Amino acid sequence: MTRIVCKFGGSSVADAEQFKKIKSILQGNLERKIVVVSAPGKRNPQESKLTDLFYSTHDLATKKLDFAAPWKLIRERYIEITQELSLQSSIREEFDKLEEDLLKNSEKLSVDFLVSRGEYLCAKIMADFLGAKFIDAYPLIQFDNQYNVTPESYENIATALSDKNTIYVVPGFYGSDMQGKLKTFTRGGSDITGSILANACNCSVYENWTDVSGLLMADPRIVKDAHTISYVSYREIRELAYSGANVLHDDSITPCRAKNIPINIKNTNKPGDQGTIIGPTPETTSRVITGIAGRKDFSMLYIEKSMMNKEKGFGRKVLAILEEQGVSYELSPCGIDSMNVIVDSKTLQNVEKEVRKEIDQKMQPNKIKIFNNLALIATVGHGMVSQVGTAARLFSALAKDNINVRIIDQGSSEINIIVGIDEANFEKAITAIYKEFVD
Ligand code: ASP
C-alpha cells in the first residue's frame, strides 16, 4: 500500500473542532498514514498564532519580565482542546514543568526549544485523539553545520515510520543540530517537515492541508474572485513563490521534487475541493499563463559609462561591490553603455553611501542614479513557451491602462516574463494582466 503524508497547518489545528475534521479526513482515505502538525494558529483574525505567543513568552522570560499574559493564552488553548476532546492528558503537568523552567532557568531554555513545544504538544494531543503513534522529530531530523538536513535524517525517518499499517503523528518545524541541540526550521517550516517525510517514506502524495482550497492565479486582495490553479509545475511554483505568491515554505518543494512526489494543497474546512496539485510536468492545456505574482520595495541602481561594453569584467566588479556590502540582486538588465541592477530597497538604503563610493572609485562611471519605489511583477506559465505573441499581449494590456514599463526580463526558461513598474501602478498592472489572460 502506498502512503500519503498529510501536513495540517496552524488554522487546521486551531481548536477541537478542527481536530475532529482531521480525524474524518484521515478516515476518508486509509492511505493517509503520516500526519505532521503545526502549532495551533488563529481562530479569528484578532488572535495570535501560538508560535508567536511562545516567542513573546521566551523574550519576556529571558528579560526577567512578566510573561503571564502570553503564557496564559497558550496554556488555556491546549487545555481547552484536550478538554473538548475528552482526553485524559498530562498537558497541565507539561505546562507546569515548562513554567518552572521559564521562571528558574530561562537562560538555559533555548528559544528554539520553547517555541518547538507548540508543535510538540499539538502532535502529542493529536496522536492521543487519533489513537495513533507519536514520533518526535527531534532525533530524526538532523541539521549539519550549514543548517542543511543530513542524508541520515531520511534513513532515520524511513526506519522510525516503517510500519505501513500504523498512523504516525510527527510534530513539524524542528529537528536537532550536530551538537544535539533542538533546532527549528525558519518560520512556516512544518511544510518542510512534511515534504522530507514524504520523500523518506516514498509516499505517493504530500497533502498540505490549510484553510484555502488551493493557490489562486493572483492575489485575491487585488483580483477578487481570482481562479484557483488546479495544477502547477514545481518550476512554476518556484517562480511564483519567489516573485511574492504566498505559497508553501520555499524549501518545502525540493524534497518532494527529488522524487517527483506531487504536493496537493487542500482545505481542511472543505475537504471535497480538489485544491491545487504541484507536480513534476507542465500541464497539457491550452492555458497560456498559470499565475501572476509580484512584490514591491525594489530599487534600481543605474550605472552609465561610455564604452562599458568593451570593459572586461565591469558587471562582475559591480556585483562584487554589492556582494561585499551584503546586497543581493534580483535582475540586471544591461544596455551597451549602461547597467541596471535591481535590488531590495531596504538593504540598499542601509549601505547606499558605501555602494556609491565604491562604484565611483573602482568603476569610474559617468553617471550613477538610484530609482526607488519599483515593483516587479512576474507572469508565469509553461504555456508561454509555445505561444507567439504572449509578450505583445502583456505589454499592450499594460499600455492600455497607461502603465509605463521600466524593466523587462524574460527568463531564458521562457516560463516567466518579469516587468518592473512604478509601485503606484502595482495593483492596476496585476489586474490588467489578469484580465488579458484569464478573464
Ligand atoms: N508554527 C511555526 C510557525 O508559525 C511553523 C509552522 O507552522 O510551519 O512558523
Side-chain angles (χ1 to χ4, degrees):
M1 183 177 71
T2 52
R3 291 185 289 174
I4 297 173
V5 169
C6 300
K7 179 258 166 176
F8 293 94
S11 59
S12 302
V13 291
D15 60 23
E17 280 316 301
Q18 297 300 85
F19 274 59
K20 290 179 194 163
K21 288 181 193 166
I22 291 175
K23 191 181 237 177
S24 85
I25 287 168
L26 298 183
Q27 284 163 348
N29 183 343
L30 297 181
E31 292 186 7
R32 293 178 176 139
K33 290 279 191 237
I34 302 173
V35 177
V36 175
V37 290
S38 286
K42 301 177 186 198
R43 291 171 294 190
N44 56 60
Q46 288 74 44
E47 270 189 338
S48 299
K49 293 175 76 169
L50 292 200
T51 304
D52 293 324
L53 295 174
F54 273 109
Y55 277 113
S56 323
T57 303
H58 190 270
D59 186 45
L60 293 167
T62 46
K63 290 178 182 149
K64 302 283 173 220
L65 296 171
D66 183 11
F67 57 83
W71 188 240
K72 184 165 175 267
L73 292 173
I74 299 171
R75 192 183 163 114
E76 278 175 357
R77 182 86 74 88
Y78 285 101
I79 292 176
E80 196 178 305
I81 293 174
T82 47
Q83 277 175 349
E84 286 182 18
L85 297 175
S86 313
L87 299 173
Q88 299 297 323
S89 95
S90 56
I91 202 87
R92 285 174 202 274
E93 291 84 82
E94 299 256 17
F95 273 103
D96 289 344
K97 168 86 184 64
L98 283 170
E99 196 171 317
E100 199 182 312
D101 286 346
L102 279 166
L103 287 166
K104 295 196 190 137
N105 298 316
S106 61
E107 56 296 327
K108 287 203 198 119
L109 198 67
S110 79
V111 61
D112 282 19
F113 178 82
L114 185 69
V115 168
S116 74
R117 299 305 86 186
E119 274 62 19
Y120 173 86
L121 293 170
C122 185
K124 281 259 180 177
I125 299 170
M126 183 65 78
D128 201 2
F129 176 59
L130 297 174
K133 188 165 180 190
F134 169 85
I135 301 276
D136 196 3
Y138 166 81
L140 301 185
I141 298 181
Q142 286 167 348
F143 298 100
D144 65 18
N145 292 335
Q146 273 73 50
Y147 197 36
N148 295 314
V149 174
T150 61
E152 292 74 36
S153 305
Y154 290 83
E155 291 160 25
N156 298 340
I157 294 164
T159 311
L161 275 61
S162 61
D163 183 2
K164 296 200 170 162
N165 295 311
T166 301
I167 298 183
Y168 296 102
V169 181
V170 183
F173 191 39
Y174 67 92
S176 52
D177 67 13
M178 297 310 254
Q179 288 70 46
K181 285 231 289 282
L182 191 144
K183 185 106 197 87
T184 60
F185 287 102
T186 50
R187 295 298 303 267
S190 301
D191 284 343
I192 314 174
T193 309
S195 187
I196 292 174
L197 264 50
N199 174 310
C201 299
N202 291 316
C203 291
S204 55
V205 184
Y206 169 27
E207 290 181 345
N208 191 289
W209 292 83
T210 173
D211 55 1
V212 288
S213 296
L215 309 174
L216 299 176
M217 291 186 80
D219 186 335
R221 288 166 301 184
I222 300 172
V223 179
K224 282 196 199 79
D225 307 322
H227 292 281
T228 304
I229 303 175
S230 54
Y231 184 94
V232 54
S233 74
Y234 297 133
R235 280 179 55 205
E236 288 171 323
I237 204 76
R238 284 279 302 142
E239 302 279 355
L240 287 168
Y242 183 73
S243 301
N246 191 5
V247 284
L248 302 175
H249 191 294
D250 238 16
D251 298 337
S252 66
I253 307 291
T254 314
C256 278
R257 190 173 179 174
K259 287 198 172 163
N260 283 346
I261 299 167
I263 303 170
N264 191 179
I265 314 240
K266 291 196 55 95
N267 189 344
T268 304
N269 307 316
K270 291 185 184 167
D273 289 358
Q274 193 213 326
T276 299
I277 296 183
I278 306 171
T281 47
E283 194 181 21
T284 46
T285 63
S286 52
R287 199 183 55 184
V288 181
I289 71 159
T290 302
I292 308 159
R295 282 192 284 152
K296 293 180 177 176
D297 294 323
F298 290 106
S299 295
M300 179 163 74
L301 179 64
Y302 171 83
I303 307 162
E304 195 181 296
K305 185 173 185 186
S306 56
M307 304 307 284
M308 183 189 284
N309 65 322
K310 293 263 158 65
E311 201 173 315
K312 285 199 183 71
F314 191 94
R316 180 181 53 75
K317 287 178 202 155
V318 170
L319 296 180
I321 292 171
L322 289 170
E323 187 184 344
E324 278 155 28
Q325 297 297 334
V327 183
S328 62
Y329 76 103
E330 306 290 323
L331 301 170
S332 179
C334 294
I336 301 173
D337 286 340
S338 67
M339 175 177 182
N340 299 287
V341 192
I342 320 299
V343 296
D344 172 65
S345 300
K346 267 203 205 96
T347 327
L348 181 65
Q349 268 156 25
N350 295 335
V351 289
E352 189 180 321
K353 254 203 210 132
E354 292 83 340
V355 167
R356 276 181 185 271
K357 198 168 113 203
E358 289 275 294
I359 294 179
D360 257 335
Q361 282 173 356
K362 294 189 179 152
M363 314 308 300
Q364 314 260 302
N366 302 118
K367 202 193 255 177
I368 310 182
K369 274 184 103 169
I370 292 176
F371 300 91
N372 292 316
N373 304 323
L374 289 173
L376 294 179
I377 297 176
T379 305
V380 177
H382 286 282
M384 298 194 298
V385 183
S386 51
Q387 292 276 342
V388 177
T390 309
R393 281 175 68 189
L394 194 146
F395 293 115
S396 344
L398 295 174
K400 239 192 284 161
D401 273 0
N402 214 11
I403 299 165
N404 183 29
V405 176
R406 311 273 302 272
I407 304 148
I408 302 173
D409 182 270
Q410 176 166 25
S412 51
S413 61
E414 278 195 59
I415 69 164
N416 72 358
I417 298 175
I418 297 175
V419 290
I421 53 161
D422 278 340
E423 250 173 30
N425 286 326
F426 183 69
E427 285 79 9
K428 202 164 132 192
I430 290 187
T431 309
I433 300 170
Y434 188 88
K435 266 203 203 135
E436 173 62 32
F437 289 100
V438 190
D439 260 357

